[in-house]
Amino acid sequence: MKTGIKVLIFIGAIIFVIVTLFVGSNIWLNYTWFSKLGFLNVFTKILWTKIGLWWGFFAIFVLFSGINVFLAFKRGNIQTIKIQQAGVPVEVNRKVGIIVASVLLFIISIIMARNGSSKWDLILKFLNRASFNLNDPIFGRDLSFFVFTLPVFTFLKSWSLAAVILNIIIIGLLYLISGQITVAGNKFTASDQSKRHIITLLFLLILIFAWNYWLKAYQILYSRRGIIFGAGFTDVRVSRPAYYVMIAVCLFTAVLTLIGRKRSSFKQPLIAYGLLIGLAIVVTGIIPGIVQQISVKPNELVRELPYIENNINFTRRGYNLDIIEREPFPVNDSLRAEDFSPEKGIAKNIRLWDHRPLKSTFSQIQEFRLYYDFYDVDVDRYQFGDEYRQVMLSAREINYNELPAEAQVWVNKRLVYTHGYGFVMTPVNEIGEEGLPVLIVKDIPPKVSVPLKLERPEIYYGEVTIPYVIVNTDQPELDYPSGDRNVYTEYQGTGGIPIKSGLRKLWLAIRLRSLEIIFTGYLKPTSKLMIYRSIQERVPKIAPFLKYDPNPYLVVYDGKLFWMLDAYTVTDRFPYSEPHRDRYNYIRNSLKIIVDAYTGDVSFYVIDPKDPLIKTYSNIFPGMFKDISEMPEGLLAHVRYPMYIFSVQAELYSTYHMTDPQVFFNKEDKWTTPKEIYEQSETNMIPYYTIIKFPDDDENEEFVLILPFTPVNKNNMLAWMAAMCDPENYGKIVEYKFPKEKLLYGPLQIESRIDQNSEISQLFTLWGQKGSSVIRGNLLVIPVKDSLIYVEPIYLRAEQSELPEMKRVIVGYQDRIGIGLTLDDALYRVFGTREVVATKVEKEEKVVSPGGPILDLRNLVKKANEYFNDAQTKLRQGDFAGYGDALRQLQDVLTQLEEQTEE
């Protein structure tokens, strides 16, 4: 027996040491990592809060349950516990019974403590709450009560309820197996001590029920009973008083329960609980249901009108829709060809490249090695000298899954292939040879053809990474491939955790479950561990209490690469606000986060200091957040309004632009997101970034995020919404409403007109017959002055190729549809005019293509010959698609020649 106990103690000691090593290594690594990044206060605040709550809830439950178990054994005079073993009753003495009960109590206490410590964020927000300076319309309380206080009370109520119910079960079982309570047939008997003990717990239970009804009165602001989210007529006029009635019933039940305890009788508590349950069903269930069906539904508009108004107002506040400005957009259709001249600068920022086929194109022409990958393509804008240009760019990162199988070894994955290299950038509107993008940043090492400084193209932290790498080792790192050889490097930055000693190697080996760290001979005292290298893992590791945008984007600043990531503060406790499917009903884009792609340094910048949630987090973690004014100007120039929150706001605004409760009730003016054709399938239109000049400001260009709206079940367009991205006006959102008497084609109607165009449909058919796939890109609705144009790029992808090529651009304006090899060609097809201009240097006839280059007569004749010869060559080769392209190009040139000779 003693030998067995010793073995158990030895095994337990080993388990304890192993658990301690794993937990200790995890805490040490996190402590060191947070300290290296400068966020040690965040780590310690969360850690100590969790530890404090764990021990607090553990002590409360152990104390409460321990007292109950002690009283059961002491005053209940439990001497033996009877259990069944193989059908034979066996008596266990008091000492063993206490040990068994203590072990069970310990296990349950651990579970309850863990449940309590998991709510650390609720507790910290409650203790550091900021005011909303806005009261709810029913109770008149500041909304901070509902967002910060009520969730804590609700959790404490649930935890207390669970603790009391568990103790009732534990104590009841103890009395049952000890014989203090017996059940024989229909006869139930219990000792006076067991009755008084259990009734005492029932008394505590009823007090918690009373507290629950007090909380329920406030929770009517989250009711889903009526036609809107939030308290309606029945909730306010019937349910709320009913909950107060039930509080009184609970207190009456508590009195009867105490009487039963005094008399050592279950009779009074049972009567009281029966009365409570019956009244709860009738008062809080049946009566409100009857009122809703008989009184409210037949008169719904009259009854619910003020509560609909509450829902409208608070939903608009919850999603920041109340800041949206409304402006008329007259649509005078006054555009002319000269509006697209190079001096106007409109055509140069109309985005032709769609990020989806462009990603495939980048992958085919710029990856160079299998292990490089372009994960995403982003839209941004840069100032190149005096020119403000919209561009698309993508980072070239390492995809370790694409390494050859024989290269998938620890040394390669952790020491050699440590970082991606460079990026690709293209203007949004330029088309090169064979329909490929014009790359202004390309190749390895990077070749830059614009005024853009780039000194650190290495990407150690990005979107596509593995858990960790080790730098500054005796094994050189691959920097980039160069022809048939590789160029190697050594990390020169400040990022990473120094490994230093053998003890740290041990800790890291345990934490990362990698014995190679201990036994490899490549590590040296200056070696550094880089961990949590994925942006989507690194930033939430620091601040797990925020919601993050799914799309970080690359920014080039001061010769280095940075990632910019948006973060949101959210809650689902905002009264009356309509819940979103992502489980919140309040959201703010409060933070911009910068991650250095070379060092991994992270900075949090507050861009919405008025948000009460970010104020609360600033109170919890002082010094963690910087003001947006502290962001370097070169990075601030690249902030943009996030597509995620804009999509959420647009979705809600399609209904909540209706501020009149009666119009809202009837859904007379409900909008929706338009449909468009992508590839060959109908899909929802997504918001898009572009540079435009607003109708009331023809001088300044603004980088904006745009989305049009159409009526529900109709395809004509009735409004468009734009969110400003540039720092001066960041976050400003404007809705431009079209005149009701004016018919504006929606995106899907333009798509139909494209399909009905005989020239375009024949072209699509011809391409399809040769086995190629036609990809119809994003259809963009572009505001120009007081008018709208529609632009859609057309790509062609060969059957055996992953290389899409842009073959045509389609432009729509009013009833006209034009198609061309370039945007300039398509604009000319639509507007159909050219000018004869004389330069100051020489009096020579020239032709101006809208937004395009100036061509003289000799060049036109030369172009015509080139296109004719090209057409003949394509015809001999049997390339009918190429033959058709060359003939159309020839036709364009001949038309220009004809117009010029007439003039």
Side-chain angles (χ1 to χ4, degrees), residues 456 458 460 471-477 479 488-493 524 526 598:
R456 276 290 175 203
E458 301 92 341
Y460 284 86
V471 297
N472 291 355
T473 66
D474 287 331
Q475 170 63 52
E477 301 172 48
D479 200 20
Y488 293 90
T489 188
E490 184 171 280
Y491 182 70
Q492 301 296 321
K524 54 186 181 180
T526 57
Y598 190 67

Side-chain angles (χ1 to χ4, degrees), residues 420-673:
Y421 199 87
F423 63 96
V424 179
M425 180 183 287
T426 180
V428 295
N429 72 321
E430 294 188 16
I431 309 170
E433 295 181 2
E434 302 297 329
L436 298 178
V438 175
L439 303 180
I440 55 178
V441 180
K442 62 181 180 179
D443 297 348
I444 299 177
K447 297 176 183 175
V448 183
S449 58
V450 290
L452 184 67
K453 182 180 176 183
L454 182 59
E455 296 174 347
R456 276 290 175 203
E458 301 92 341
I459 301 174
Y460 284 86
Y461 301 86
E463 294 184 88
V464 184
T465 55
I466 58 172
Y468 74 91
V469 295
I470 301 174
V471 297
N472 291 355
T473 66
D474 287 331
Q475 170 63 52
E477 301 172 48
L478 170 70
D479 200 20
Y480 58 86
S482 178
D484 296 332
R485 64 184 184 87
N486 290 331
V487 176
Y488 293 90
T489 188
E490 184 171 280
Y491 182 70
Q492 301 296 321
T494 59
I497 300 172
I499 296 178
K500 296 181 181 177
S501 64
L503 181 59
R504 285 198 171 195
K505 287 184 182 180
L506 176 63
W507 281 116
L508 292 174
I510 294 172
R511 171 60 181 84
L512 301 174
R513 295 170 177 79
S514 176
L515 291 176
E516 291 90 345
I517 293 176
I518 296 176
F519 297 110
T520 182
Y522 290 114
L523 302 191
K524 54 186 181 180
T526 57
S527 296
K528 296 179 178 180
L529 171 75
M530 291 184 172
I531 197 170
Y532 308 131
R533 298 193 300 133
S534 166
I535 304 301
Q536 294 89 337
E537 180 186 17
R538 188 176 189 80
V539 180
K541 181 76 177 176
I542 299 170
F545 43 83
L546 299 171
K547 180 178 178 63
Y548 293 96
D549 193 270
N551 183 30
Y553 57 99
L554 193 69
V555 174
V556 188
Y557 164 66
D558 196 27
K560 296 180 63 178
L561 303 183
F562 296 86
W563 294 97
M564 190 170 287
L565 176 64
D566 287 279
Y568 310 103
T569 51
V570 298
T571 180
D572 61 352
R573 298 285 89 193
F574 200 77
Y576 267 116
S577 180
E578 186 70 25
H580 188 262
R581 59 180 171 273
D582 288 346
R583 299 182 179 180
Y584 56 77
N585 63 357
Y586 173 97
I587 183 171
R588 291 291 186 273
N589 173 217
S590 298
L591 290 165
K592 299 290 180 180
I593 302 165
I594 301 296
V595 181
D596 190 316
Y598 190 67
T599 65
D601 291 338
V602 182
S603 298
F604 294 80
Y605 296 93
V606 176
I607 200 166
D608 185 4
K610 296 180 180 179
D611 173 32
L613 285 174
I614 201 62
K615 288 181 182 178
T616 299
Y617 288 127
S618 297
N619 294 338
I620 297 171
F621 306 107
M624 178 179 182
F625 306 109
K626 303 175 185 178
D627 188 78
I628 193 67
S629 61
E630 298 180 53
M631 181 182 286
E633 187 176 343
L635 289 174
L636 186 62
H638 293 280
V639 298
R640 66 183 193 186
Y641 200 76
M643 190 178 295
Y644 174 80
I645 191 174
F646 185 74
S647 299
V648 171
Q649 290 174 313
E651 179 184 340
L652 271 296
Y653 193 73
S654 64
T655 300
Y656 284 90
H657 71 277
M658 297 179 283
T659 55
D660 183 287
Q662 186 165 346
V663 174
F664 183 92
F665 175 81
N666 294 319
K667 298 295 187 290
E668 297 174 13
D669 191 24
K670 187 172 172 58
W671 302 349
T672 189
T673 302

Side-chain angles (χ1 to χ4, degrees), residues 136-357:
D136 79 278
I138 306 300
F139 299 95
R141 283 182 172 267
D142 188 272
L143 297 191
S144 60
F145 171 80
F146 297 92
V147 174
F148 302 123
T149 305
L150 191 59
V152 173
F153 287 175
T154 303
F155 163 69
L156 292 176
K157 179 266 300 180
S158 300
W159 192 91
S160 303
L161 186 65
V164 172
I165 291 175
L166 284 170
N167 272 270
I168 290 173
I169 294 171
I170 292 169
I171 299 308
L173 287 174
L174 278 175
Y175 283 127
L176 182 64
I177 61 180
S178 66
Q180 297 288 326
I181 295 176
T182 59
V183 179
N186 295 326
K187 188 177 180 181
F188 173 85
T189 58
S191 66
D192 289 346
Q193 173 60 30
S194 65
K195 289 179 182 178
R196 286 194 297 270
H197 194 169
I198 293 174
I199 291 172
T200 301
L201 292 175
L202 291 175
F203 171 75
L204 294 177
L205 191 65
I206 200 63
L207 293 181
I208 295 174
F209 285 164
W211 186 21
N212 180 55
Y213 282 116
W214 182 77
L215 295 174
K216 276 182 171 291
Y218 289 105
Q219 289 169 346
I220 63 171
L221 297 189
Y222 311 110
S223 171
R224 296 177 179 269
R225 185 196 305 274
I227 60 172
I228 48 93
F229 180 83
F233 179 88
T234 302
D235 300 300
V236 175
R237 300 294 184 87
V238 181
S239 294
R240 182 187 177 191
Y243 292 139
Y244 294 143
V245 169
M246 291 308 301
I247 292 174
V249 173
C250 286
L251 296 177
F252 176 71
T253 302
V255 172
L256 288 181
T257 303
L258 288 178
I259 293 172
R261 183 186 185 282
K262 186 175 181 181
R263 297 179 181 179
S264 299
S265 172
F266 282 127
K267 182 179 180 180
Q268 290 81 8
L270 289 175
I271 292 173
Y273 269 85
L275 178 66
L276 175 66
I277 294 170
L279 286 174
I281 294 172
V282 174
V283 175
T284 65
I286 295 176
I287 293 177
I290 291 173
V291 171
Q292 183 72 19
Q293 293 295 325
I294 295 178
S295 177
V296 176
K297 282 199 172 181
N299 310 283
E300 205 160 32
L301 180 58
V302 176
R303 299 288 195 197
E304 301 285 19
L305 202 62
Y307 308 107
I308 293 174
E309 188 172 2
N310 290 338
N311 173 261
I312 293 172
N313 291 337
F314 280 82
T315 298
R316 288 173 62 86
R317 287 177 179 270
Y319 293 93
N320 225 18
L321 306 182
D322 57 321
I323 70 166
I324 297 177
E325 301 176 12
R326 294 183 172 183
E327 300 285 347
F329 195 86
V331 194
N332 293 323
D333 293 330
S334 59
L335 290 182
R336 295 180 299 173
E338 52 265 31
D339 291 318
F340 298 94
S341 65
E343 295 78 16
K344 298 290 185 180
I346 292 175
K348 70 177 182 180
N349 286 314
I350 294 177
R351 180 164 64 86
L352 302 181
W353 290 102
D354 188 306
H355 67 278
R356 290 161 289 193

